[in-house]
Amino acid sequence: MVTSALILAGGESTRWGNHLGVKKHLAPVPDEPVIHRLQRELVERGVDDVMVACKAGDVDAYVTVGRAVELADLGDGWRHEWADSRAHWPNNRLLVFYG
């Protein structure tokens, strides 16, 4: 069983283009932001450790349960987001969600 989940949400959402007037992680699906729904559903399904890798300025808007993994200014690309969060990975099974 997966006991830890990491949600990579440190990007700039440039391809999203501020559609709906929000960053893509905060898009409503249907009544709550998608990133909040994902966190809630992970906890409801028994995931013990939910981590959200995001920039410090996004923590309050993005993290509703679990803990934040605050990222430095990553520049472009998910590879930096992935690598910068590595120190927080547990030594057990880890499920990763790309934002």
Side-chain angles (χ1 to χ4, degrees):
M1 175 176 212
V2 174
T3 58
S4 299
L6 174 65
I7 303 167
L8 297 176
E12 294 294 329
S13 300
T14 54
R15 290 184 305 266
W16 178 252
N18 205 34
H19 182 65
L20 304 175
V22 296
K23 290 184 177 182
K24 67 181 175 183
H25 304 100
L26 299 174
V29 181
D31 297 327
E32 64 186 321
V34 67
I35 195 166
H36 297 176
R37 180 178 180 154
L38 175 57
Q39 291 169 73
R40 179 180 53 77
E41 289 186 356
L42 287 168
V43 169
E44 288 173 0
R45 284 159 179 76
V47 175
D48 297 324
D49 183 22
V50 177
M51 299 170 283
V52 180
C54 61
K55 293 181 180 173
D58 292 330
V59 170
D60 290 340
Y62 285 10
V63 181
T64 58
V65 298
R67 59 189 170 103
V69 175
E70 292 184 20
L71 303 175
D73 184 9
L74 304 174
D76 294 329
W78 63 268
R79 288 179 190 91
H80 300 291
E81 193 174 5
W82 175 261
D84 199 34
S85 66
R86 191 172 185 120
H88 301 278
W89 298 358
N91 291 328
N92 56 4
R93 292 182 175 190
L94 176 66
L95 185 60
V96 178
F97 295 87
Y98 290 92

